[in-house]
Amino acid sequence: LGAGQSIQQTYDLTRYLEHQLRTLAGTYLNYLGPPFNEPDFNPPRLARAERVPSATVDLDLWRGLTDNARLAANYRAYSRLLCYLRVLDGQVGTAELRHRLAHFCASLQGLVLSIGGVMSSLGYPLPAGPAGPPAPPGAPAAPNDFLKKMDDFWLLKELQIWLWRSAKDFNRLKKKVPPAVVTLRLEARGF
Amino acid sequence: DSHIQYERVGADVTMKCGSMDWDAAVTWTANGTDIDESHLNGSYLILKNVDLSQSGQYSCYEGSSWHLKYQTYLRVGTPPKEPVLMCRSNNYPKGFYCSWHLPTPTYIPNSFNISVIHGTKDMVCEKDAVPKNRCHIRLLQLFSTVKYKVTLTVTNALGKNFTTLTFDEFAIVKPDPPESVVAKPVPNNPRRLEVSWQNPSSWPDPESFPLKFFLRYRPLILDQWQHVELSDGTSHTITDAYAGKEYIIQVAAKDTDIGTWSDWSVAVHATPWTEEPKHLTTEAQITETTSASTSSFMAPPTTKICDKGAVVGS
């Protein structure tokens, strides 16, 4: 795949994941129950939740990112988000939700690989760190169930916003590296 | 001493004549008109259950010398109710604005104070000169999971009230409607209309933050809209228009990922191309034209007006 097609594919996958997460997050927050599934729930972000990579970025800084830096930020973020999501996946009580989380994790893994593919096609090195997502940091688990749910709440919210950010990131890249024009080799016979 | 005195609608108001004793002889006027003695208790003026019409200038003169001893401007009004506050970003990611109004008038001057907090950070809300009940906040960070908290406090001489809004950055993104909507017939295509429009000029960076569009159209003779969503580009060709029928067309816009749809654009009207009637020289042509024009009133085979093969205009 050329870089352009690779970026387009990554963009489409991001949009797909964004859509998937919207329903998955709704189901999961209902699984967590009130107050986590209430629209106005606005909990403080505790130290543990700060470890989840934040999509928040200064506007001018974001605009000025080089393509390499932009892709690397995405690659690192999803690698770590995937790792947290897998921890989540292993603890869910209902089979249906576990299945959907597992499917989402697989798609997210696909996104990490896709971003890696784009970087390679543009000649950029993959960010340092183990090939797969890094193991979850050794911090102690949440001391109680409510704080555990709080961590899950922030993970899903951060993931949602990363996907929005990535859609904008890949949209910018799409415009800088349009898909290569497909040349149809016409065997001209008798013209 | 002359000053402004604020009182609530329905209140009982007592005014003393400055430093004059209770039993001093005085005259009270309201806007220059003498007030009946029935409203006096000694030299005090008593106004029961005041209403808005009793706002005005009240003056007290010493009985014999007609020396002005006291003057006040009475403003009758109400304390503010909880203000209505709305915040929206029509120029994402530049910032967002908040605007407010009071659900009911207070009839006396009010002052508004707005505070915008993002996590632990206080943000400046730059007030517009006009309209006065609006201010703008510049977004310094994007893609934040931390909600914005906006608190509007309204104060007047009779009381105070406030309202608070808490929202995520992406929840208030709502572009303005698309602009310069144009609809044109397509020559030699009796069932096509070409529609084009522009991004709202208030949307600062359509390159980085592309908009998608929603087009709705219907012939004037029908109430049912047809819709089509367009993920990019600012034009579309309608290919299933009813021949010869005038259409009304509108467009709405939304960020491709976040926020809500804009209001509908201004409506434009257009009628698909129709064949010019030929100039008649012989009777044959007249007959030919008559039959041709009748058939043109026949509903196109793919009509959806009703299922029983209704004939338009018959």
Side-chain angles (χ1 to χ4, degrees):
Chain A
L1 271 185
Q5 268 97 351
S6 188
I7 292 170
Q8 179 66 51
Q9 221 176 41
T10 306
Y11 174 76
D12 295 337
L13 180 52
T14 303
R15 299 296 307 278
Y16 167 76
L17 282 166
E18 187 198 322
H19 186 69
Q20 286 290 314
L21 184 60
R22 222 171 291 165
T23 52
L24 175 61
T27 308
Y28 191 85
L29 292 180
N30 285 333
Y31 164 75
L32 294 182
F36 299 93
N37 56 355
E38 288 155 8
D40 295 337
F41 182 55
N42 186 27
R45 192 160 172 172
L46 306 179
R48 241 186 343 283
E50 291 295 348
R51 290 195 332 269
V52 172
S54 172
T56 306
V57 61
D58 175 85
L59 173 55
D60 296 331
L61 183 85
W62 178 74
R63 278 210 173 99
L65 286 173
T66 63
D67 295 349
N68 184 11
R70 193 178 299 280
L71 287 161
N74 276 269
Y75 187 89
R76 272 192 297 267
Y78 289 116
S79 299
R80 291 184 55 205
L81 287 164
L82 181 55
C83 145
Y84 285 109
L85 209 58
R86 283 196 170 125
V87 171
L88 205 78
D89 172 20
Q91 294 163 350
V92 167
T94 71
E96 192 256 341
L97 192 47
R98 218 173 23 250
H99 172 72
R100 287 179 60 189
L101 266 170
H103 173 71
F104 187 85
C105 281
S107 305
L108 197 58
Q109 171 76 55
L111 180 60
V112 174
L113 297 174
S114 190
I115 298 169
V118 171
M119 297 187 77
S120 307
S121 64
L122 292 172
Y124 301 138
L126 292 188
N144 60 53
D145 188 51
F146 184 84
L147 291 180
K148 168 67 183 66
K149 290 180 176 180
M150 195 98 97
D151 291 349
D152 296 351
F153 171 87
W154 280 112
L155 171 60
L156 291 174
K157 184 160 189 180
E158 199 63 67
L159 184 51
Q160 175 86 73
I161 294 181
W162 260 108
L163 288 167
W164 279 328
R165 170 174 163 170
S166 302
K168 304 303 181 193
D169 282 325
F170 300 131
N171 178 67
R172 280 176 84 95
L173 290 166
K174 243 182 6 158
K175 289 180 174 163
K176 289 173 83 172
V177 183
V181 175
V182 177
T183 49
L184 291 177
R185 251 184 246 101
L186 291 176
E187 269 104 32
R189 287 202 193 87
F191 285 101
Chain B
D1 50 6
S2 171
H3 68 292
I4 296 177
Q5 182 173 341
Y6 293 97
E7 297 291 349
R8 289 178 186 232
V9 170
D12 295 342
V13 178
T14 300
M15 291 188 198
K16 292 175 64 181
C17 186
S19 55
M20 300 291 284
D21 292 337
W22 175 79
D23 54 6
V26 300
T27 303
W28 281 92
T29 66
N31 300 323
T33 306
D34 285 8
I35 296 176
D36 183 69
E37 298 249 336
S38 62
H39 288 286
L40 301 191
N41 175 358
S43 64
Y44 296 177
L45 174 63
I46 311 294
L47 300 174
K48 293 277 186 191
N49 188 21
V50 291
D51 63 35
L52 296 174
S53 67
Q54 287 176 280
S55 289
Q57 188 172 60
Y58 290 80
S59 310
C60 178
Y61 300 89
E62 189 180 9
S64 51
S65 68
W66 276 94
H67 190 81
L68 177 64
K69 299 303 283 181
Y70 179 71
Q71 191 168 67
T72 187
Y73 199 93
L74 176 64
R75 296 285 306 262
V76 180
T78 60
K81 288 203 170 82
E82 184 178 327
V84 177
L85 175 63
M86 184 277 287
C87 294
R88 174 183 165 207
S89 174
N90 63 338
N91 61 348
Y92 188 78
K94 226 182 210 173
F96 62 88
Y97 71 85
C98 292
S99 60
W100 56 84
H101 67 271
L102 290 179
T104 54
T106 63
Y107 307 100
I108 59 175
N110 304 294
S111 70
F112 293 90
N113 179 275
I114 191 162
S115 92
V116 181
I117 296 171
H118 184 220
T120 55
K121 205 182 293 177
D122 244 282
M123 303 186 74
V124 172
C125 195
E126 288 148 20
K127 284 201 175 161
D128 279 358
V130 174
K132 282 209 320 223
N133 59 338
R134 182 159 137 153
C135 67
H136 291 262
I137 297 97
R138 212 158 70 83
L139 282 181
L140 304 175
Q141 286 187 323
L142 283 196
F143 311 116
S144 171
T145 52
V146 177
K147 290 182 185 260
Y148 287 82
K149 183 176 179 183
V150 181
T151 301
L152 176 74
T153 305
V154 52
T155 310
N156 70 21
L158 298 175
K160 184 178 190 172
N161 215 318
F162 73 93
T163 192
T164 296
L165 272 187
T166 304
F167 50 83
D168 281 309
E169 152 196 343
F170 36 79
I172 60 166
V173 174
K174 175 180 178 179
D176 288 329
E179 295 167 2
S180 316
V181 182
V182 174
K184 293 185 293 192
V186 180
N188 304 310
N189 280 277
R191 304 206 56 203
R192 288 184 174 230
L193 285 169
E194 238 169 46
V195 188
S196 64
W197 58 89
Q198 285 173 8
N199 287 309
S201 46
S202 50
W203 194 256
D205 187 0
E207 275 294 303
S208 301
F209 295 86
L211 294 171
K212 62 181 178 182
F213 301 97
F214 219 105
L215 183 71
R216 73 176 183 181
Y217 58 97
R218 65 176 170 83
L220 285 183
I221 57 171
L222 293 182
D223 296 332
Q224 187 66 34
W225 291 96
Q226 285 173 264
H227 294 88
V228 56
E229 184 168 333
L230 305 150
S231 54
D232 54 46
T234 55
S235 65
H236 175 70
T237 300
I238 296 169
T239 56
D240 59 352
Y242 294 130
K245 297 302 169 215
E246 183 182 1
Y247 268 74
I248 178 170
I249 297 138
Q250 288 179 292
V251 193
K254 181 184 172 298
D255 177 272
T256 49
D257 303 300
I258 56 180
T260 55
W261 285 98
S262 73
D263 296 334
W264 290 107
S265 69
V266 171
V268 295
H269 291 243
T271 304
W273 173 88
T274 49
E275 201 162 357
E276 288 299 324
K278 296 189 185 79
H279 293 295
L280 309 178
T281 52
T282 63
E283 189 138 1
Q285 277 167 324
I286 291 171
T287 337
E288 182 207 315
T289 309
T290 315
S291 62
S293 63
T294 317
S295 66
S296 79
F297 280 100
M298 296 295 293
T302 57
T303 175
K304 297 185 194 103
I305 297 177
C306 4
D307 299 334
K308 296 194 181 62
V311 175
V312 176
S314 65

